[in-house]
Amino acid sequence: MKIKKVNCVVYPSFKSFNRTPGRPKVSGELMDMIEHLRSELMNAAEQEDFNSVTVVELSQRLDQYIVMAQNQMLGR
């Protein structure tokens, strides 16, 4: 089954989440990796189907880095 491409919603940069007062900051290196993967994912999703191996793997990698950033923000 082939999934039809749809327009993507562009969400604000993850960097905006680093501005919450009183919360530990996420390392710059981690933020850069998240932004890089987000950009790669957006580009891949424009070129390929959402269920392509490339898009799914990038999405999963991005998810892992976002969880690491959330853990840093929670002080874990």
Side-chain angles (χ1 to χ4, degrees):
M1 180 170 112
K2 188 155 179 127
I3 297 175
K4 183 179 175 184
K5 283 189 177 184
V6 295
N7 291 333
C8 295
V9 176
V10 178
Y11 292 98
S13 165
F14 190 78
K15 289 182 181 183
S16 64
F17 295 109
N18 213 19
R19 297 188 193 133
T20 305
R23 194 172 270 199
K25 300 245 186 228
V26 175
S27 71
E29 186 176 327
L30 183 53
M31 294 300 296
D32 290 344
M33 179 57 83
I34 289 170
E35 286 300 315
H36 173 74
L37 287 172
R38 187 175 80 90
S39 177
E40 278 193 44
L41 177 59
M42 296 291 287
N43 290 333
E46 289 176 3
Q47 303 298 319
E48 303 178 32
D49 292 329
F50 289 155
N51 61 345
S52 75
V53 172
T54 303
V55 171
V56 171
E57 286 178 354
L58 281 169
S59 178
Q60 290 172 341
R61 282 183 59 202
L62 178 58
D63 288 346
Q64 291 172 340
Y65 281 98
I66 290 172
V67 169
M68 286 192 289
Q70 290 172 334
N71 286 332
Q72 277 187 12
M73 286 190 289
L74 294 173
R76 294 184 191 165

